[in-house]
Each structure stands twice: as C-alpha cells, then as structure tokens.
Amino acid sequence: MLIPICSAAVFIRNATYDGSVATGTDANWTWMRNNAPGDSHDNLATKVYSGMTVGNVNETDIYDEHWRGLVTWDTSDIPDDATVTSATISVYGAGKMPELGVVNFCVIDAFPANQLAFVDRDYQRTTFTRYATDMPYDSYNKNTGWNTISLNSLGLNNISKTSYTTFMFTHSADVDNTNLTWIGGLDGD
C-alpha cells in the first residue's frame, strides 16, 4: 500500500515587527534617494509609511522627506526541506499621496541591522531588487480593504526557513531611480 506524502501546506503569518525608516533632509530627489543616510525611524506605529515622499511646497523639485516601510515575519516554522511555491503579502491601505504623480507600490529586498528593531541607517539597506510585480497606483486600496501582492521567484527564494523574513515597501520611482513628477502642495487622498 502506498501512502502519499503531503504535497502542500499553507502557512499564514501575521507581521512580527514593522516600522518605517526615512530621511528628512530637504534635498533634490537624486540625493535623497541615493545619498541620504537615513535620519529617522518609527517602529511599531499605527501606520507603516511605505514610499511616502513629501514635496516642499516652497521649492520646486525639493523634497522634505521620504519614508520606506519595513515589515518582518517569523517564518522559522516553515520546514527546512519545504519548497515555497507561492506566497502573498497583504497590506491594509491607509492613504495615498498624489503629489508625486503616479507611482506604483513596490515590495523590495531589505537588510536591516536588526530585523526586530529598525534604525535610521536601515533606510539605505536595500539593493532595490523587486520581490513582486508592482501594484499600480490606481489599484492600491486606501482605507477600503486589503492589498494582496504575490511574491515573484526572487521574493520566494528570500523567505527564510530558519529565522525572520523582512521586506521593504516603497514606490516605483524610488526603485527605478527615476525623477519624480513634482506637483507639490497637494494633500494625500
């Protein structure tokens, strides 16, 4: 008699730790994205600021701050010999800021110094590698429900089976290192 081995299992994990890291120096986008060291963090707050860039209302193409979100899950319960074939991340929208024009929501790699205590310098601890297909700006639900994003093969391969898994959230202009469409002075919708 043959007894098949279980070929699939579903693991559901809530975030273990979350926060946001930022730079708050008034600067042009290129410097803010590539050179700013990170000078602020906000751990375990009610909102994770993910790709929030605030334009300076008094100076064209100068930005007051940029935030990147970090979320960590304890994925150590996944068996060492398991093959992760699919995974989704669900985030609840809390608003959008249209002052940059249309940018998409991105899930990227992150290498915080401590996955359970983010610090300012974690702002630059990424290579901007996409771990999922971007969620278009118009598709991102703000205040109306969950946004579910499927990880790509790079994201799946970076799920730890022995410890914690951390991803960073930001917008597509940040990931692609492209100039922003500066509109300035608008309130988030």
Side-chain angles (χ1 to χ4, degrees):
M1 176 175 188
L2 296 174
I3 301 174
I5 297 174
C6 178
S7 62
V10 176
F11 291 86
I12 298 173
R13 295 288 174 265
N14 289 323
T16 303
Y17 197 81
D18 61 34
S20 304
V21 290
T23 183
T25 305
D26 290 356
N28 67 44
W29 175 244
T30 301
W31 189 88
M32 186 172 276
R33 184 212 185 253
N34 298 319
N35 302 316
D39 57 17
S40 185
H41 66 279
D42 189 6
N43 293 327
L44 300 173
T46 57
K47 295 180 183 177
V48 173
Y49 295 102
S50 304
M52 183 183 82
T53 308
V54 179
N56 184 308
V57 297
N58 299 313
E59 296 182 69
T60 302
D61 295 327
I62 297 296
Y63 300 92
D64 290 337
E65 58 188 294
H66 177 65
W67 290 84
R68 296 173 179 149
L70 291 163
V71 178
T72 297
W73 294 266
D74 181 354
T75 52
S76 62
D77 287 346
I78 299 173
D80 291 346
D81 62 346
T83 301
V84 179
T85 58
S86 68
T88 59
I89 295 172
S90 295
V91 295
Y92 197 87
K96 296 193 271 190
M97 295 191 67
E99 67 181 23
L100 303 174
V102 176
V103 292
N104 300 324
F105 182 85
C106 301
V107 178
I108 61 174
D109 62 338
F111 309 99
N114 181 336
Q115 291 178 298
L116 298 177
F118 306 135
V119 296
D120 298 355
R121 302 291 283 181
D122 291 334
Y123 177 80
Q124 288 292 0
R125 291 191 174 116
T126 181
T127 63
F128 298 99
T129 300
R130 280 183 168 88
Y131 280 176
T133 300
D134 295 355
M135 175 169 278
Y137 181 87
D138 291 336
S139 298
Y140 187 84
N141 292 317
K142 62 160 192 98
N143 300 326
T144 60
W146 291 96
N147 298 281
T148 301
I149 301 145
S150 296
L151 296 181
N152 62 24
S153 61
L154 292 171
L156 296 175
N157 289 333
N158 279 282
I159 295 174
S160 174
K161 297 177 199 168
T162 59
S163 184
Y164 296 99
T165 299
T166 302
F167 295 133
M168 184 177 279
F169 303 151
T170 191
H171 58 64
S172 55
D174 192 13
V175 178
D176 296 332
N177 196 18
T178 58
N179 287 328
L180 301 170
T181 304
W182 193 91
I183 298 170
L186 297 177
D187 293 325
D189 66 355

mmCIF file of all heavy atoms in Angstrom, residues 13 30 44 52 67 74 80 85 94 103 109 117 124 137 149 156:
data_model
loop_
_atom_site.group_PDB
_atom_site.id
_atom_site.type_symbol
_atom_site.label_atom_id
_atom_site.label_comp_id
_atom_site.label_asym_id
_atom_site.label_seq_id
_atom_site.Cartn_x
_atom_site.Cartn_y
_atom_site.Cartn_z
ATOM 1 N N ARG A 13 1.050 33.904 8.324
ATOM 2 C CA ARG A 13 1.823 34.601 9.341
ATOM 3 C C ARG A 13 1.403 36.066 9.389
ATOM 4 O O ARG A 13 1.335 36.737 8.352
ATOM 5 C CB ARG A 13 3.325 34.564 9.020
ATOM 6 C CG ARG A 13 3.927 33.186 9.039
ATOM 7 C CD ARG A 13 4.037 32.680 10.465
ATOM 8 N NE ARG A 13 4.475 31.319 10.511
ATOM 9 C CZ ARG A 13 3.675 30.260 10.600
ATOM 10 N NH1 ARG A 13 2.388 30.418 10.632
ATOM 11 N NH2 ARG A 13 4.166 29.057 10.666
ATOM 12 N N THR A 30 17.400 62.930 -6.402
ATOM 13 C CA THR A 30 18.568 62.078 -6.610
ATOM 14 C C THR A 30 19.385 61.945 -5.333
ATOM 15 O O THR A 30 19.771 60.841 -4.936
ATOM 16 C CB THR A 30 19.443 62.628 -7.755
ATOM 17 O OG1 THR A 30 18.647 62.682 -8.945
ATOM 18 C CG2 THR A 30 20.661 61.754 -7.988
ATOM 19 N N LEU A 44 6.772 50.097 15.130
ATOM 20 C CA LEU A 44 5.524 49.634 15.740
ATOM 21 C C LEU A 44 4.493 50.746 15.900
ATOM 22 O O LEU A 44 3.761 50.796 16.878
ATOM 23 C CB LEU A 44 5.805 48.945 17.083
ATOM 24 C CG LEU A 44 6.718 47.727 17.012
ATOM 25 C CD1 LEU A 44 7.057 47.231 18.402
ATOM 26 C CD2 LEU A 44 6.090 46.622 16.185
ATOM 27 N N MET A 52 6.442 56.981 0.994
ATOM 28 C CA MET A 52 5.800 58.283 1.129
ATOM 29 C C MET A 52 6.864 59.357 0.961
ATOM 30 O O MET A 52 7.794 59.445 1.744
ATOM 31 C CB MET A 52 5.129 58.431 2.490
ATOM 32 C CG MET A 52 4.381 59.749 2.625
ATOM 33 S SD MET A 52 3.661 59.992 4.250
ATOM 34 C CE MET A 52 5.077 60.603 5.153
ATOM 35 N N TRP A 67 9.953 58.263 3.096
ATOM 36 C CA TRP A 67 9.820 57.131 4.019
ATOM 37 C C TRP A 67 9.751 55.815 3.255
ATOM 38 O O TRP A 67 9.110 55.733 2.209
ATOM 39 C CB TRP A 67 8.547 57.279 4.853
ATOM 40 C CG TRP A 67 8.594 58.376 5.844
ATOM 41 C CD1 TRP A 67 8.320 59.698 5.616
ATOM 42 C CD2 TRP A 67 8.939 58.267 7.220
ATOM 43 N NE1 TRP A 67 8.471 60.423 6.767
ATOM 44 C CE2 TRP A 67 8.842 59.566 7.783
ATOM 45 C CE3 TRP A 67 9.306 57.216 8.042
ATOM 46 C CZ2 TRP A 67 9.113 59.815 9.108
ATOM 47 C CZ3 TRP A 67 9.566 57.465 9.366
ATOM 48 C CH2 TRP A 67 9.476 58.760 9.895
ATOM 49 N N ASP A 74 8.026 36.174 11.286
ATOM 50 C CA ASP A 74 8.735 34.994 11.794
ATOM 51 C C ASP A 74 8.341 33.830 10.897
ATOM 52 O O ASP A 74 7.211 33.336 10.952
ATOM 53 C CB ASP A 74 8.350 34.711 13.245
ATOM 54 C CG ASP A 74 9.084 33.515 13.818
ATOM 55 O OD1 ASP A 74 9.810 32.817 13.070
ATOM 56 O OD2 ASP A 74 8.931 33.265 15.025
ATOM 57 N N ASP A 80 12.559 23.058 6.986
ATOM 58 C CA ASP A 80 13.788 23.289 6.235
ATOM 59 C C ASP A 80 13.766 22.664 4.847
ATOM 60 O O ASP A 80 14.375 23.187 3.916
ATOM 61 C CB ASP A 80 14.997 22.726 7.002
ATOM 62 C CG ASP A 80 15.295 23.516 8.256
ATOM 63 O OD1 ASP A 80 14.763 24.641 8.403
ATOM 64 O OD2 ASP A 80 16.055 23.003 9.106
ATOM 65 N N THR A 85 6.393 27.539 -2.978
ATOM 66 C CA THR A 85 5.988 27.704 -4.372
ATOM 67 C C THR A 85 5.141 28.950 -4.611
ATOM 68 O O THR A 85 5.006 29.398 -5.746
ATOM 69 C CB THR A 85 5.210 26.471 -4.863
ATOM 70 O OG1 THR A 85 4.064 26.278 -4.031
ATOM 71 C CG2 THR A 85 6.100 25.221 -4.828
ATOM 72 N N ALA A 94 -3.810 52.856 3.992
ATOM 73 C CA ALA A 94 -4.162 53.931 4.926
ATOM 74 C C ALA A 94 -4.106 55.289 4.252
ATOM 75 O O ALA A 94 -4.169 56.305 4.918
ATOM 76 C CB ALA A 94 -3.235 53.899 6.137
ATOM 77 N N VAL A 103 2.840 56.809 -9.091
ATOM 78 C CA VAL A 103 3.896 55.846 -8.786
ATOM 79 C C VAL A 103 3.223 54.583 -8.252
ATOM 80 O O VAL A 103 2.122 54.633 -7.728
ATOM 81 C CB VAL A 103 4.904 56.396 -7.744
ATOM 82 C CG1 VAL A 103 5.711 57.540 -8.330
ATOM 83 C CG2 VAL A 103 4.202 56.835 -6.478
ATOM 84 N N ASP A 109 13.783 44.064 -1.566
ATOM 85 C CA ASP A 109 14.672 43.461 -0.582
ATOM 86 C C ASP A 109 15.016 44.454 0.525
ATOM 87 O O ASP A 109 14.942 45.656 0.334
ATOM 88 C CB ASP A 109 15.951 42.948 -1.243
ATOM 89 C CG ASP A 109 16.773 44.056 -1.890
ATOM 90 O OD1 ASP A 109 16.220 45.137 -2.207
ATOM 91 O OD2 ASP A 109 17.973 43.848 -2.106
ATOM 92 N N ALA A 117 14.258 45.522 15.362
ATOM 93 C CA ALA A 117 14.482 46.862 15.914
ATOM 94 C C ALA A 117 15.134 47.717 14.830
ATOM 95 O O ALA A 117 16.354 47.794 14.735
ATOM 96 C CB ALA A 117 15.372 46.804 17.154
ATOM 97 N N GLN A 124 18.966 52.924 3.902
ATOM 98 C CA GLN A 124 19.791 52.600 2.728
ATOM 99 C C GLN A 124 20.151 51.116 2.634
ATOM 100 O O GLN A 124 20.927 50.737 1.760
ATOM 101 C CB GLN A 124 21.078 53.436 2.732
ATOM 102 C CG GLN A 124 20.860 54.891 2.423
ATOM 103 C CD GLN A 124 20.428 55.140 0.981
ATOM 104 O OE1 GLN A 124 20.283 54.235 0.169
ATOM 105 N NE2 GLN A 124 20.206 56.403 0.663
ATOM 106 N N TYR A 137 -0.741 52.294 -8.933
ATOM 107 C CA TYR A 137 -1.274 53.329 -8.044
ATOM 108 C C TYR A 137 -2.798 53.279 -7.988
ATOM 109 O O TYR A 137 -3.384 53.322 -6.913
ATOM 110 C CB TYR A 137 -0.789 54.703 -8.528
ATOM 111 C CG TYR A 137 -1.254 55.859 -7.667
ATOM 112 C CD1 TYR A 137 -0.514 56.244 -6.560
ATOM 113 C CD2 TYR A 137 -2.421 56.554 -7.958
ATOM 114 C CE1 TYR A 137 -0.916 57.301 -5.757
ATOM 115 C CE2 TYR A 137 -2.832 57.615 -7.164
ATOM 116 C CZ TYR A 137 -2.085 57.979 -6.066
ATOM 117 O OH TYR A 137 -2.488 59.021 -5.268
ATOM 118 N N ILE A 149 -0.462 41.133 -2.667
ATOM 119 C CA ILE A 149 0.613 41.142 -3.654
ATOM 120 C C ILE A 149 1.296 39.778 -3.629
ATOM 121 O O ILE A 149 1.708 39.307 -2.566
ATOM 122 C CB ILE A 149 1.622 42.257 -3.324
ATOM 123 C CG1 ILE A 149 0.897 43.605 -3.308
ATOM 124 C CG2 ILE A 149 2.782 42.267 -4.292
ATOM 125 C CD1 ILE A 149 1.425 44.559 -2.290
ATOM 126 N N LEU A 156 10.228 34.710 -3.235
ATOM 127 C CA LEU A 156 10.048 33.368 -2.660
ATOM 128 C C LEU A 156 11.372 32.800 -2.168
ATOM 129 O O LEU A 156 11.444 32.192 -1.092
ATOM 130 C CB LEU A 156 9.437 32.420 -3.698
ATOM 131 C CG LEU A 156 8.030 32.750 -4.177
ATOM 132 C CD1 LEU A 156 7.614 31.793 -5.291
ATOM 133 C CD2 LEU A 156 7.038 32.699 -3.024
#
